[in-house]
Amino acid sequence: MKRVLMLAGDFTEDYEVMVPYQALSMAGIAVDVVCPDKSAGEYIKTAIHDFEGDQTYTEKPGHNFKLNASFQYLKLEEYDGLFITGGRAPEYLRLDYRVIDIVRFFMDLKRPVAAICHGVQILTAADVLKEKKVTAYPSVKPEVLAAGGIFVSKEIDEAVIFENLVTAPAWPGNVEILKGFLKLLGVIIL
């Protein structure tokens, strides 16, 4: 059985934690969802981001998502891949040195890494995007470029695969980022 680590935090985008968690679990993958300073059994609050014709997304309260693993007890060598959720959480999660170390561990070993929406901010903070093609929510483009990455503009429901990395602009890209992540993990669904 494959095992994936999912990084999330308060005000992670609801569909960017709920849908990947459920879809990967349905595919027979064990998914441990963690948040710095929180333990298994605690909750994170999510936010629902929607695209309603404004200059940017709107934000509404989401659900409480129950963490099923403890951040402080992680053994990274036990995981086959890393999934980084988006929403507002990445803006503060990237300040945690252990989060940065986790990302570097997976990228250095070239294990599959998925990052959706603002989750790419964690990749930029970890300084792992030099000459790598990624997509993200459009407002993250300056950070990708500053980190030496190559920003690929994609439709909101598309994804980009580059080496061991798959990225998508926002939750409408869940299908494509999950297909790409499963491919990188070597999981075939018939």
Side-chain angles (χ1 to χ4, degrees):
M1 174 184 273
K2 297 282 184 179
R3 194 165 176 203
V4 166
L5 178 64
M6 184 177 287
L7 290 174
D10 283 322
F11 303 105
T12 285
E13 207 292 323
D14 192 83
Y15 291 161
E16 294 170 7
V17 65
M18 297 276 190
V19 172
Y21 174 76
Q22 293 169 340
L24 293 169
S25 297
M26 181 275 314
I29 297 169
V31 183
D32 288 347
V33 186
V34 298
C35 174
D37 302 321
K38 293 195 180 199
S39 299
E42 292 186 79
Y43 291 85
I44 57 169
K45 292 180 181 179
T46 69
I48 295 172
H49 293 155
D50 212 348
F51 307 99
E52 301 174 310
D54 300 297
Q55 290 178 327
T56 190
Y57 54 85
T58 58
E59 185 172 82
K60 299 164 186 73
H63 300 91
N64 290 329
F65 184 91
K66 188 175 184 178
L67 301 170
N68 63 353
S70 298
F71 187 81
Q72 65 187 20
Y73 300 119
L74 292 176
K75 293 180 182 174
L76 300 181
E77 63 277 359
E78 296 178 356
Y79 294 97
D80 299 295
L82 174 68
F83 196 102
I84 304 170
T85 62
R88 289 203 347 256
E91 70 187 40
Y92 68 86
L93 291 179
R94 64 185 169 168
L95 302 176
D96 187 295
Y97 74 92
R98 181 101 193 274
V99 167
I100 299 304
D101 287 345
I102 289 168
V103 169
R104 288 179 179 156
F105 173 85
F106 284 92
M107 291 299 288
D108 288 347
L109 294 177
K110 301 212 180 298
R111 291 189 183 172
V113 174
I116 190 163
C117 196
H118 287 77
V120 173
Q121 290 179 310
I122 295 175
L123 299 175
T124 63
D127 197 28
V128 296
L129 290 184
K130 285 184 179 42
E131 300 179 14
K132 295 194 181 332
K133 294 179 183 177
V134 298
T135 193
Y137 192 72
S139 64
V140 181
K141 179 179 179 179
E143 291 177 58
V144 170
L145 298 176
I150 301 162
F151 189 87
V152 180
S153 293
K154 284 292 188 181
E155 294 297 320
I156 203 162
D157 61 349
E158 295 180 313
V160 170
I161 297 177
F162 186 84
E163 296 173 349
N164 67 312
L165 186 59
V166 59
T167 54
W171 63 261
N174 271 334
V175 169
E176 293 305 314
I177 195 171
L178 287 165
K179 278 199 241 178
F181 193 48
L182 289 172
K183 180 179 178 182
L184 292 173
L185 287 167
V187 175
I188 299 169
I189 297 182
L190 302 175

